[in-house]
Amino acid sequence: MNRLMTATALLLATTGLASAEGVLQLYNWGNYTSPELLEKFKAETGITVTVTDYDSNDVALAKIEAGGHGFDLVVPSANYVQIFTEKGLTTPLDLARLPNHANIAPEWRGVEWDPGRANSIPWQWGTVGVAVDTAIYGGDINTSAVWLEVPDELKGKINVVPEMTDIVTLATLYYGGQPCSEDLEVLKKVRDGLLAAKPNWIAMDYGATEKMSNKDWAASVNWNGSTMRIRQNLPTVAYGYPREGYTLWMDSVMLLKDAQNVDEAYAFMDFILKPENAAMISNFARYANGVSGSEAFMDPEMATAPEVVIPEEHKAAGVFMPVCSETSREYMTAIWTELQK
């Protein structure tokens, strides 16, 4: 009996130690989480964060809906926050457990897709445009014609990121429609245009940061922060803002309804709402964030980088990606399915 009691006590002590150290499962976009941030968080809290990557909102949504995933936090784009909420996959935030919630910048607090930030907190925000190695292609890059009517110099050398909403929306804007269009005439142009362009692409892949830095690709439909990272490796790369229209987005952190490590999740969310920590994410991923005061801690280059600070002449073409209707999503999914064949 004494031996049994001793063994039980040791087991309980070990379990208590593991719990005190803490773990957290973060489901996030690939190459998007600062290792330095995670090291600092562990040093301050004792909590170890494990990051699992995904490459599109739809992949993340499908994984969470399937259940049994084991994740605590997910980082969907703004137009998916409401979808996660309506499907009951996440839980409203207890703002009393987030004293740094007040650090969210005013313009990112009263957002249409999550009023009052009751269900999410900012991670990063940016734009979708075109990254081009100007040493290979010297033509106009501020147009989606770069990837929809591929110039000879870029045929077989241009990638298209595998994010359905971004790609279908950019094509819709190019062919004269609006985001979340239900106009069948426009959508037919979008489908036909994408299918005609695809043979000129080298891939539909997520890894533009590495592949363009290594000169494996000459161009890519891409996100602005990734493009800045490429340019830092390869100075001939430039970022184009399609004049026909491009999208703005914000990715936000949400607490999953079946999260197992809730205390750790709140600790992490409050941690990244501190300006100096939000800046660490930006300095790694090269996107802006939605936390007031973080600018003071960001790399000086971020303040003037053309990928981060939208040039005045391109601002009017930017459209924040709305939440699409179910009908619109069905149309987009049908187009995307054809494109994957």
Side-chain angles (χ1 to χ4, degrees):
M1 176 64 73
N2 287 339
R3 285 197 299 271
L4 177 60
M5 290 177 64
T6 301
T8 301
L10 286 171
L11 178 61
L12 289 172
T14 303
T15 304
L17 180 62
S19 176
E21 290 179 350
V23 294
L24 176 67
Q25 299 293 332
L26 174 63
Y27 194 34
N28 200 359
W29 296 81
N31 200 12
Y32 200 33
T33 309
S34 164
E36 185 182 1
L37 176 89
L38 300 185
E39 291 171 7
K40 181 182 179 185
F41 179 65
K42 183 175 181 179
E44 292 187 10
T45 66
I47 299 169
T48 299
V49 181
T50 298
V51 182
T52 302
D53 295 348
Y54 56 84
D55 61 10
S56 77
N57 282 297
D58 289 290
V59 167
L61 180 62
K63 181 74 172 179
I64 299 301
E65 278 195 289
H69 47 76
F71 305 128
D72 302 305
L73 296 172
V74 67
V75 192
S77 299
N79 56 313
Y80 278 72
V81 166
Q82 191 172 320
I83 296 172
F84 272 87
T85 302
E86 290 176 349
K87 288 179 175 288
L89 301 173
T90 57
T91 188
L93 299 177
D94 180 356
L95 301 189
R97 302 184 69 177
L98 295 172
N100 290 314
H101 192 269
N103 291 337
I104 298 175
E107 64 269 29
W108 295 113
R109 201 177 300 156
V111 291
E112 181 181 351
W113 34 272
D114 187 16
R117 285 292 184 169
N119 299 284
S120 69
I121 64 167
W123 180 263
Q124 301 269 271
W125 72 270
T127 61
V128 187
V130 189
V132 179
D133 186 345
T134 60
I136 295 174
Y137 178 65
D140 183 8
I141 66 171
N142 292 304
T143 172
S144 282
V146 169
W147 62 282
L148 286 170
E149 299 181 35
V150 185
D152 290 341
E153 298 96 319
L154 296 177
K155 286 181 178 177
K157 301 175 184 178
I158 186 167
N159 174 66
V160 172
V161 291
E163 174 57 35
M164 177 183 76
T165 306
D166 289 341
I167 299 309
V168 175
T169 300
L170 280 177
T172 301
L173 291 166
Y174 183 75
Y175 290 110
Q178 294 299 312
C180 301
S181 177
E182 297 180 20
D183 184 327
L184 295 181
E185 186 176 339
V186 169
L187 292 172
K188 183 179 184 302
K189 292 179 182 178
V190 170
R191 181 199 65 191
D192 293 347
L194 287 169
L195 292 176
K198 185 181 178 181
N200 294 315
W201 305 339
I202 189 172
M204 293 183 69
D205 196 352
Y206 185 75
T209 306
E210 296 79 12
K211 293 291 182 70
M212 286 196 66
S213 294
N214 295 335
K215 298 186 179 182
D216 295 325
W217 302 338
S220 180
V221 177
N222 201 32
W223 298 283
N224 61 306
S226 168
T227 305
M228 181 179 176
R229 295 170 73 181
I230 298 167
R231 177 175 60 80
Q232 290 177 313
N233 297 326
L234 186 62
T236 53
V237 168
Y239 186 63
Y241 293 86
R243 67 176 58 86
E244 305 86 9
Y246 62 89
T247 55
L248 293 89
W249 50 267
M250 169 172 269
D251 295 333
S252 296
V253 184
M254 303 187 79
L255 177 63
L256 291 165
K257 193 164 188 176
D258 47 3
Q260 298 297 305
N261 304 295
V262 175
D263 291 341
E264 289 83 356
Y266 273 105
F268 185 74
M269 286 188 286
D270 201 53
F271 178 81
I272 63 174
L273 286 174
K274 292 181 179 179
E276 61 269 31
N277 298 331
M280 290 178 74
I281 303 174
S282 292
N283 289 337
F284 173 78
R286 297 298 175 179
Y287 299 97
N289 62 70
V291 176
S292 293
S294 62
E295 297 83 2
F297 301 93
M298 289 165 66
D299 290 348
E301 187 180 358
M302 296 279 288
T304 57
E307 302 91 351
V308 179
V309 182
I310 302 172
E312 198 64 39
E313 65 269 28
H314 300 309
K315 285 184 177 179
V319 180
F320 199 89
M321 189 65 213
V323 178
C324 297
S325 68
E326 190 62 36
T327 299
S328 173
R329 285 185 55 78
E330 287 175 2
Y331 288 147
M332 280 197 286
T333 300
I335 292 171
W336 194 247
T337 300
E338 281 198 60
L339 196 61
Q340 304 306 302
K341 292 178 181 178

